Amino acid sequence: MVRTLLVAALMLASTAVVAQESNVEELAQVCSGCHGENGVPQEKTTPIIWGQNEGYLYLQLRDFKKGSRKNDMMGPVAETLEKADMKALAAYFNKKTWPDLQQPSAPKDVTATAMEAINSIACKGCHLDQFQGDGTTARLAGQQREYLQNTMLAFRDRSRGNNPGMSDLMNAATPDQLKAIAQYLAGLQIIGGTYGR
Ligand code: HEC
Ligand code: HEC
């Protein structure tokens, strides 16, 4: 009797896992419409989410749903997601390999302008030495240039309001410096290990 119950419980548990996995796959198909079938986003203003840090992905979905981060495309998508979906999607996309958009490295003068602000604001203290980020801090290396520029300017004018600390930091740089930083970060590759992880 105990044994039969145990087997039944195990079977239930495993079907639940299967159901959840296929649910994530289904949800992820919606995301691919904009974030790309192969991880390369359709538009230059849409960020890479493949290989992005798990905690960061989850927090953004939560913030889009809460409305503390606003976007006409992501708002309606996040509204339909439950917390468990967001957690599952964050884990799912984190495991994918970050795509190489083959954005060129920034020229010397742009790099110099970028580095001046990067050093004075100590971006690497949080985003780490190769701008790979970790946990709830975003990976920036190799992200879409246009997206990076837009989102830093949005933090700066506080239209992206989900992290006031980042907004304060962005106000320590000029818009021209942020544009240079976007170009610099977009052209970065992560050295060592598999690309993007
Ligand atoms: C209609 C197009 C569209 C769809 C569908 C879509 N996204 Fe997005 N997503 C965007 C755009 C555009 C942005 C950038 C918003 C901004 O600039 O603030 C974005 C931003 C994000 C971000 C923030 C990334 C970052 O670097 O801050 C995450 C996470 C995200 N999307 C996850 C998802 C997931 C998961 C799905 C599927 C459930 C999905 N998106 C479906 C267009 C879309
Ligand atoms: C004190 C730690 C800290 C410092 C210093 C810092 N950041 Fe951030 N940054 C974060 C965190 C945490 C996030 C995620 C914010 C969120 O949850 O929306 C973030 C988000 C970002 C994003 C958004 C990424 C995306 O995919 O949308 C960009 C771009 C960024 N930071 C650039 C920079 C640059 C450039 C500097 C230096 C000029 C910098 N940050 C300094 C902690 C930091």
Side-chain angles (χ1 to χ4, degrees):
M1 177 64 184
V2 171
R3 204 187 136 88
T4 324
L5 271 177
L6 196 68
V7 170
L10 280 173
M11 278 172 62
L12 250 182
S14 68
T15 50
V17 167
V18 170
Q20 218 183 24
E21 270 171 15
S22 61
N23 187 34
V24 175
E25 297 274 351
E26 268 169 43
L27 288 170
Q29 277 177 14
V30 177
C31 321
S32 301
C34 297
H35 291 279
E37 290 291 343
N38 52 0
V40 177
Q42 304 287 349
E43 305 282 340
K44 295 194 182 305
T45 48
T46 305
I48 292 173
I49 57 173
W50 280 36
Q52 182 55 278
N53 300 320
E54 185 173 344
Y56 176 74
L57 287 172
Y58 167 70
L59 285 187
Q60 300 315 300
L61 292 171
R62 182 202 67 182
D63 289 354
F64 281 125
K65 180 163 183 165
K66 271 202 313 198
S68 61
R69 182 171 176 185
K70 291 185 174 44
N71 179 264
D72 291 346
M73 282 179 265
M74 278 310 295
V77 171
E79 207 152 284
T80 66
L81 302 174
E82 299 301 329
K83 185 173 179 178
D85 299 330
M86 297 186 204
K87 293 256 179 198
L89 284 163
Y92 176 87
F93 283 111
N94 169 256
K95 286 190 190 73
K96 301 275 185 187
T97 303
W98 184 279
D100 184 356
L101 302 185
Q102 308 205 321
Q103 298 174 110
S105 329
K108 271 192 178 149
D109 57 331
V110 174
T111 300
T113 306
M115 285 317 294
E116 199 186 334
I118 285 171
N119 290 334
S120 79
I121 301 171
C123 313
K124 290 183 180 179
C126 298
H127 290 280
L128 306 187
D129 56 335
Q130 297 194 65
F131 287 102
Q132 71 272 41
D134 191 26
T136 55
T137 304
R139 170 180 170 153
L140 307 175
Q143 182 56 280
Q144 295 264 29
R145 178 180 166 184
E146 281 79 354
Y147 168 76
L148 284 172
Q149 180 172 313
N150 289 347
T151 212
M152 286 190 288
L153 291 171
F155 268 135
R156 195 173 190 279
D157 70 17
R158 300 185 192 273
S159 52
R160 177 169 171 179
N162 68 321
N163 192 308
M166 268 303 300
S167 290
D168 293 344
L169 290 170
M170 294 293 99
N171 276 285
T174 65
D176 282 342
Q177 282 176 322
L178 295 182
K179 286 176 194 166
I181 292 174
Q183 190 174 347
Y184 169 74
L185 292 172
L188 286 184
Q189 305 248 345
I190 288 184
I191 302 150
T194 49
Y195 188 81
R197 300 305 304 276

